[in-house]
Amino acid sequence: MAVERTTRRVTRRRVRTRANLLDAAFSVFAAKGFGHVSIEEVCEAAGYSRGAFYSNFSSLDELFFALYRERADLIAEQVSGALALDGPGLDVPAAVDRVTDVLLLDRDWLLVKTDFLVHAARDPEVARSLLEHRARLRQAIADRLARARGHTALPAVLGDTDGAAHAVVAAYDGVTTQLLLDRDVEHARAWLKQLLTALLTDGSGTPDHRQN
């Protein structure tokens, strides 16, 4: 029993250490840029030694992917949850409204992700890993669109549900790039609604863009 309690304490401490390192890394990445941060700076910000870092991550790349998984899972949950409310059919304009109302548009995260994208573009192995992580979000969207097939028609120009999912993610990427420059979250949400409605319908169902 004593061994079991000790194991639980160690496990909880390890989970807390990992979470603190992730939080510290996110703050430092956002402030300085991914390519300008060292492991020592992450450790200093978190209040841990290099040993604590290496007991959780083998590199800054691995740490970034842990951050990416957290946010990709959150976005996938937000998207799939919003799309699931219509049952077997899919009211696209209403679903677009729900998705864009809850979708993560965190400028600090976008800064970190963009920095890492440039890093990955110069390293084929890192690029392959990043592509795999991006595919998770597209798959969540494609799965929901596939369940709606037969109940909800998608524009033929998009091809299959995978094509539609790629288009949705591309629209998100474009809008978030603009957000990095103009810092206008409300405009980004309204523009994303407009793009997604145009992509996924014949254009007849236009979301309401009135500001609160």
Side-chain angles (χ1 to χ4, degrees):
M1 184 65 71
V3 172
E4 184 179 338
R5 284 198 298 270
T6 300
T7 301
R8 284 201 299 268
R9 283 199 300 272
V10 170
T11 300
R12 285 197 298 269
R13 186 165 64 247
R14 183 181 177 86
V15 169
R16 187 167 60 248
T17 298
R18 181 182 175 88
N20 289 341
L21 284 166
L22 287 169
D23 287 345
F26 179 76
S27 297
V28 178
F29 288 162
K32 292 190 171 185
F34 177 84
H36 302 284
V37 173
S38 66
I39 289 174
E40 288 77 8
E41 287 174 298
V42 172
C43 292
E44 182 179 352
Y48 293 119
S49 66
R50 285 174 63 92
F53 180 94
Y54 283 115
S55 70
N56 287 275
F57 306 103
S58 63
S59 65
L60 287 176
D61 284 358
E62 183 181 335
L63 186 152
F64 171 83
F65 282 127
L67 283 172
Y68 194 97
R69 276 194 300 273
E70 283 185 352
R71 281 150 181 82
D73 287 347
L74 173 60
I75 292 171
E77 181 181 337
Q78 290 170 332
V79 171
S80 59
L83 294 179
L85 295 179
D86 290 323
L90 187 64
D91 180 343
V92 172
V96 165
D97 277 341
R98 291 195 301 270
V99 167
T100 52
D101 282 344
V102 302
L103 195 58
L104 179 69
L105 289 173
D106 178 351
R107 191 171 178 276
D108 281 345
W109 168 241
L110 296 173
L111 283 169
V112 174
K113 187 177 73 168
T114 301
D115 280 337
F116 193 81
L117 177 64
V118 174
H119 166 64
R122 294 190 172 99
D123 187 324
E125 185 174 346
V126 177
R128 281 193 295 272
S129 296
L130 183 57
L131 286 170
E132 290 170 3
H133 282 80
R134 283 172 58 82
R136 297 180 65 178
L137 175 59
R138 288 199 305 270
Q139 191 59 53
I141 298 169
D143 287 348
R144 179 59 189 96
L145 294 176
R147 289 198 299 275
R149 256 186 131 169
H151 302 274
T152 303
L154 294 173
V157 69
L158 294 176
D160 57 14
T161 53
D162 286 338
H166 272 81
V168 168
V169 174
Y172 176 76
D173 286 343
V175 166
T176 53
T177 297
Q178 182 67 25
L179 174 59
L180 280 174
L181 301 176
D182 65 21
R183 302 169 182 255
D184 189 339
V185 175
E186 291 307 311
H187 179 264
R189 291 195 189 282
W191 181 227
L192 188 57
K193 286 183 182 184
Q194 199 171 22
L195 283 176
L196 293 182
T197 301
L199 280 170
L200 298 177
T201 72
D202 61 3
S204 61
T206 302
D208 186 355
H209 292 294
R210 289 174 297 181
Q211 301 294 317
N212 293 327

